[in-house]
Amino acid sequence: MGKKKGKSRLGLYILLCVLPVLLIYTYVVIIPILGAMRFSLFQWSGGADMKFIGLKNYRLLFRDTEFWKAFQNNVWIALTCILGQIGIAFFFSALLSSRVIRFKAFHRVVAYFPATISAVVVGFVWSFIFNYDFGLVNAFLRAIHLEKWAKPWLDNPATIVFIISIPLIWQYIGYYMVIIMSAMTSIDPSIYEMAELDGASSLQKALRITLPLIKNSLAVAVMLCIAGNMKIFDHIYVMTNGGPGTSSMVMALQVYKTTFIKSQYGYASAMSVGILILSLSLVIISRVCITQPWRKEKDV
Amino acid sequence: MKKRLFAACLALMVTSSLWGCSNKPVNEPEPPAQESAGEAGKEDSKTEDSKTGEAGEKIVIHLMSQTPRSGQGTEGFATGFYNMLDQWCADHPEVEVNLEDMDQTSYQTKINSVCAAGDIPDIFMLKGSWATTFIDNGWVSDLSGGLDADPAWRDGYIENAFEAVTRDEKVYGIPTQSMATGLVFYNSQMWADMGYETFPETWEELLEAVEKFKAAGISTFVLGNKPNWPAESCWMSTLGDRYTGADWTQSILEGSGAKFTDPEFIDALTLFKELNDKGAFNADINSIDDKEEDTVYFNAKAASIVSGTWFIPIIETTAPEDVKNATKLALLPAISGGTDQQNTISGGPAWFLSVGSSVPEEKRELVMDLVKTLTGKEQADITASMGNLTAWADPTYDESKVSPLYTEYNQLMKNAKTVRIYDACMPGSVIETINVGLQSLLAGEKTPEELANEIQMEQELLQ
């Protein structure tokens, strides 16, 4: 009896401790989302005059090619980043877990360092690196007499999405490295020893042992990567402002412009709700694809 | 137990205060001065008075400005504006002016928020492109009565000064300053090296010059269009008008027939695109911004730059001595296939002083008197003496004390006709479509026809 009372008291205590955070979270996340859902049903330019138009904003959204192009850019950036960030992070983690590399702690810190820098700073630094006249990339190309290859990198609509993915990949490799390395350390070393006895090469060890054993951590990393890249904004705002034209436009930037430059608050709210739905579905799809819950019974 | 009760009470208080906040419109930072109601006593009584206009002790006028007072004494407009304000306050000891001054970016958010919340200041600055929103929402009042009562004041301004804030012959603001956006600044030394004593006067001549500069590895013009307004504000506003004429722009604004898909406008877009295709601009046109373009010009990597009058003081203070001395002003060259009027330049007042719609009758006369003082000739004279552009047609100032470029500009404008700056008069969503589209046009992603269609579609969405 006493124990039970103690337990319920503990529950109350926990609730009380969590309550302030929960309230703040509700105030800054849940309520604005509900607010956006409400505003998305109105034609509204920011003033007192709000006209209820039902689902018209959503019908417009479905036919808005600019929005879907921005979504497509988001997907391309996310795919590039999954391959770039997680792929390179996996490669580095495998290297750092092997015996060939020295000063491991140093490498870990240095690799994580970019993830701590503000996105705006990263954006500025890389826009200087890509600058046509005095940028590092072109200066290097000119130094090795490849003037023809020196290009205004941020001006070509055909390649811009991949160019702006480079800073993103560079910045977050360390972040995914931490996740993957912590997963790798949890693998029992004796498995590798047995494999070595059987004559497995390093590549075989990485692909046949490490990869399957850290699958769940990878799923988390992919999920974080998709979620992060769906709301990408600051790098692109600083580097290209969505340009040239709309060729590097992403969804979050488009919402910002629709709200504060075009003053279409209602339509922008509908866009935000659209982003929420699209991101959630992509995250769920990726999770299902990686963990493949339907294969579990057969495999085990 | 008591402690727990206390904690619960605290939690309840936090919750209730949070809910209290959430009743306010989202997206809008809370205005501090109005916010103080019920919290800080002193501020509170001021704002209350200004709303009701009751003559308790002093009449309070609430004034909001996008020009920080810190510029008084150093910057032309701030000096003119605040000197006149100080003088008016000294002459009217019975009135207290409650001034809120801040930088432009904060001002834009704040004025929109306070007006949307219904706490409209008595006097405030209105940007030309906001006019439609503010007038349609009924936040500003008609000033034509006051203007007509004093013809000397009304007629003292430059031509078409009230255009951007006039609807159905009612005037909703008084211009405070002016600008031109499509002004050619050229390095006369570099042009002389190519064999040009003055800036070309015809488009054909300009295209020849472009070839010569290109052969020499120099950009004829530098344009930093990353923020995407310079191509439209500094180039298209003028080039467009050279083909369409001012009546077309007026018709677009009124929605009375003219279309962006009209062949004249498409011709203007084509001309601009061809100029870029011929290599007149820097290669990184869409990836450097409006500050970086200045550096390219200062480093003599480009022979000219098309910018606004705000560039005059920048040259004065930051350009290297040789570039500063070589810089001269010109209009964009005449286009042979355009209208008869080719001596045009986009320009006009961008900021206006407006009176809030909630000013009570008994305070109105005082408010109008203050507006007249702040926008009158004396303000213009002070502003002009410091080398800044005014909306007043003929300010008195000492030419020997201002930048030679400013004097040159005034000379140039005597033979030029001002046409409207697109982003100072067209609605925000159309401007954004033009701005983004011009980037695509310059990057070769869109044809002039596709862009014209897109702008027209955005325009039709509004109607």
Side-chain angles (χ1 to χ4, degrees):
Chain A
M1 190 69 186
K3 212 178 181 182
K4 202 177 176 186
K5 199 180 170 191
K7 222 178 186 178
S8 73
R9 264 189 158 186
L10 187 72
L12 194 74
Y13 191 66
I14 291 173
L15 187 74
L16 260 179
C17 290
V18 174
L19 196 64
V21 180
L22 201 68
L23 286 174
I24 292 171
Y25 184 78
T26 314
Y27 176 59
V28 299
V29 178
I30 311 275
I31 293 178
I33 289 179
L34 293 177
M37 287 178 180
R38 191 173 83 85
F39 292 141
S40 70
L41 305 176
F42 289 87
Q43 186 178 355
W44 181 36
S45 68
D49 183 24
M50 287 173 77
K51 197 173 131 206
F52 184 80
I53 51 167
L55 294 174
K56 198 178 158 207
N57 279 333
Y58 290 96
R59 278 203 292 276
L60 274 178
L61 189 64
F62 268 110
R63 282 182 282 132
D64 187 346
T65 45
E66 292 294 327
F67 177 78
W68 293 106
K69 198 181 151 199
F71 174 63
Q72 208 181 332
N73 284 343
N74 268 110
V75 171
W76 275 119
I77 293 172
L79 283 178
T80 321
C81 285
I82 289 174
L83 287 178
Q85 291 172 342
I86 302 179
I88 297 176
F90 179 77
F91 177 71
F92 280 173
S93 313
L95 270 185
L96 283 179
S97 320
S98 74
R99 284 175 229 123
V100 279
I101 300 284
R102 291 174 152 236
F103 311 117
K104 286 179 185 168
F106 172 75
H107 285 292
R108 264 203 305 264
V109 172
V110 170
Y112 190 72
F113 185 65
T116 62
I117 306 175
S118 143
V120 175
V121 177
V122 172
F124 266 119
V125 169
W126 280 86
S127 57
F128 290 143
I129 291 178
F130 288 130
N131 185 289
Y132 179 66
D133 277 330
F134 54 83
L136 209 58
V137 178
N138 285 347
F140 174 74
L141 288 172
R142 284 174 190 138
I144 57 170
H145 298 289
L146 285 171
E147 280 92 357
K148 282 202 170 160
W149 292 16
K151 289 196 172 71
W153 298 102
L154 295 173
D155 281 72
N156 185 350
T159 52
I160 187 76
V161 171
F162 298 99
I163 296 285
I164 53 172
S165 300
I166 295 174
L168 289 169
I169 294 174
W170 170 80
Q171 186 174 14
Y172 290 112
I173 286 176
Y175 179 73
Y176 293 103
M177 228 173 84
V178 170
I179 297 178
I180 294 173
M181 279 181 71
S182 67
M184 282 183 178
T185 45
S186 66
I187 300 173
D188 190 345
S190 60
I191 303 178
Y192 290 113
E193 279 162 30
M194 297 217 302
E196 268 168 46
L197 285 177
D198 288 340
S201 70
S202 306
L203 189 68
Q204 278 175 321
K205 275 192 292 177
L207 294 182
R208 296 289 171 86
I209 300 173
T210 319
L211 207 54
L213 284 175
I214 62 165
K215 204 171 70 181
N216 279 325
S217 299
L218 278 184
V220 172
V222 169
M223 199 174 80
L224 286 175
C225 195
I226 292 176
N229 284 309
M230 281 297 137
K231 62 179 182 12
I232 186 86
F233 174 84
D234 16 24
H235 291 83
I236 294 171
Y237 181 71
V238 171
M239 278 199 292
T240 64
N241 192 19
T246 53
S247 40
S248 63
M249 186 61 82
V250 285
M251 293 187 293
L253 187 56
Q254 203 176 19
V255 169
Y256 169 79
K257 288 192 162 190
T258 312
T259 315
F260 294 105
I261 295 177
K262 294 191 171 183
S263 300
Q264 297 167 347
Y265 289 67
Y267 185 52
S269 302
M271 276 185 181
S272 320
V273 176
I275 296 179
L276 183 76
I277 296 169
L278 288 171
S279 315
L280 274 181
S281 17
L282 274 185
V283 166
I284 292 170
I285 291 171
S286 74
R287 181 135 191 99
V288 169
C289 285
I290 292 184
T291 51
Q292 297 180 332
W294 60 89
R295 273 181 55 182
K296 247 178 193 155
E297 291 130 56
K298 253 192 275 169
D299 280 0
V300 178
Chain B
M1 197 63 207
K2 261 185 190 168
K3 266 186 193 165
R4 211 162 288 153
L5 207 72
F6 181 64
C9 284
L10 269 182
L12 208 76
M13 275 166 66
V14 172
T15 335
S16 57
S17 67
L18 285 179
W19 275 107
C21 296
S22 72
N23 285 336
K24 291 193 181 108
V26 190
N27 287 331
E28 289 170 1
E30 286 142 16
Q34 273 68 23
E35 179 57 20
S36 59
E39 281 170 28
K42 280 183 191 168
E43 275 287 313
D44 189 24
S45 62
K46 277 186 199 171
T47 32
E48 273 311 299
D49 267 0
S50 79
K51 267 178 230 157
T52 53
E54 277 166 23
E57 298 129 19
K58 268 186 167 188
I59 304 163
V60 176
I61 293 178
H62 186 199
L63 169 67
M64 261 175 90
S65 165
Q66 98 294 13
T67 313
R69 192 168 188 141
S70 53
Q72 190 178 11
T74 52
E75 195 265 318
F77 174 67
T79 313
F81 189 81
Y82 289 113
N83 282 4
M84 292 320 289
L85 179 64
D86 291 343
Q87 194 183 318
W88 192 86
C89 288
D91 292 346
H92 295 81
E94 78 283 7
V95 184
E96 190 183 325
V97 175
N98 180 13
L99 168 78
E100 276 188 80
D101 57 324
M102 63 205 80
D103 65 277
Q104 266 186 43
T105 319
S106 323
Y107 182 76
Q108 172 154 0
T109 318
K110 180 148 183 181
I111 191 70
N112 278 293
S113 315
V114 293
C115 286
D119 290 318
I120 308 165
D122 297 330
I123 305 176
F124 62 94
M125 288 286 192
L126 179 73
K127 200 176 173 179
S129 54
W130 307 341
T132 307
T133 314
F134 277 63
I135 295 168
D136 288 353
N137 282 316
W139 295 337
V140 283
S141 46
D142 174 20
L143 306 177
S144 31
L147 275 169
D148 291 339
D150 186 354
W153 178 34
R154 182 192 60 196
D155 301 333
Y157 293 97
I158 51 175
E159 209 190 330
N160 302 329
F162 296 94
E163 222 169 20
V165 287
T166 306
R167 297 288 185 281
D168 302 327
E169 292 179 10
K170 288 179 181 156
V171 179
Y172 293 91
I174 315 288
T176 56
Q177 66 215 92
S178 183
M179 60 165 80
T181 60
L183 198 57
V184 181
F185 294 78
Y186 68 102
N187 187 327
S188 53
Q189 189 57 48
M190 292 171 81
W191 282 82
D193 292 347
M194 288 293 147
Y196 292 87
E197 284 312 311
T198 56
F199 195 78
E201 285 185 356
T202 65
W203 201 259
E204 291 73 26
E205 223 184 318
L206 174 70
L207 291 182
E208 275 170 33
V210 168
E211 290 299 321
K212 289 185 193 167
F213 276 115
K214 202 180 163 191
I218 300 169
S219 316
T220 316
F221 295 102
V222 56
L223 174 59
N225 197 36
K226 181 170 151 188
N228 77 25
W229 60 263
E232 162 264 316
S233 194
C234 300
W235 281 88
M236 271 316 288
S237 297
T238 305
L239 290 186
D241 185 84
R242 296 280 177 91
Y243 274 103
T244 64
D247 293 343
W248 179 89
T249 319
Q250 191 56 34
S251 171
I252 283 279
L253 291 172
E254 288 166 0
S256 58
K259 285 183 172 163
F260 286 100
T261 43
D262 291 342
E264 295 84 13
F265 188 74
I266 294 180
D267 283 346
L269 291 174
T270 314
L271 182 89
F272 188 37
K273 184 180 158 56
E274 274 171 8
L275 186 65
N276 181 44
D277 291 347
K278 289 218 160 76
F281 294 101
N282 44 314
D284 47 1
I285 191 164
N286 284 324
S287 64
I288 61 169
D289 66 24
D290 53 317
K291 307 278 180 308
E292 288 167 281
E293 68 173 10
D294 300 351
T295 321
V296 177
Y297 178 72
F298 292 160
N299 290 339
K301 284 194 169 179
S304 31
I305 182 169
V306 175
S307 187
T309 39
W310 60 84
F311 194 48
I312 295 175
I314 298 179
I315 291 188
E316 205 55 37
T317 51
T318 42
E321 216 42 48
D322 54 332
V323 175
K324 187 162 118 186
N325 296 333
T327 299
K328 289 197 173 153
L329 301 178
L331 298 179
L332 279 168
I335 300 155
S336 50
T339 59
D340 298 337
Q341 187 108 47
Q342 290 293 321
N343 58 336
T344 54
I345 179 167
S346 53
W351 289 92
F352 299 82
L353 207 57
S354 286
V355 174
S357 52
S358 53
V359 176
E361 247 348 283
E362 61 271 22
K363 221 167 66 177
R364 231 183 147 71
E365 205 172 316
L366 266 177
V367 166
M368 278 309 280
D369 189 53
L370 177 56
V371 168
K372 197 190 283 188
T373 310
L374 291 176
T375 56
K377 182 153 192 305
E378 271 186 82
Q379 182 266 112
D381 288 347
I382 303 174
T383 305
S385 336
M386 295 185 72
N388 276 54
L389 216 54
T390 69
W392 203 263
D394 204 8
T396 324
Y397 65 97
D398 184 356
E399 280 193 16
S400 64
K401 285 189 181 155
V402 297
S403 150
L405 275 180
Y406 179 60
T407 315
E408 195 184 337
Y409 169 78
N410 285 331
Q411 289 300 327
L412 185 74
M413 292 305 280
K414 284 191 178 147
N415 298 315
K417 183 182 179 291
T418 307
V419 297
R420 305 185 72 165
I421 312 169
Y422 285 168
D423 57 340
C425 59
M426 291 182 188
S429 58
V430 172
I431 286 302
E432 177 64 6
T433 313
I434 300 181
N435 288 359
V436 169
L438 281 177
Q439 276 199 344
S440 306
L441 184 81
L442 294 172
E445 265 195 309
K446 272 185 192 137
T447 64
E449 288 79 13
E450 283 169 346
L451 174 55
N453 271 326
E454 224 171 75
I455 304 169
Q456 182 57 28
M457 261 168 65
E458 192 68 43
Q459 166 86 350
E460 276 163 19
L461 269 183
L462 286 174
Q463 286 159 4

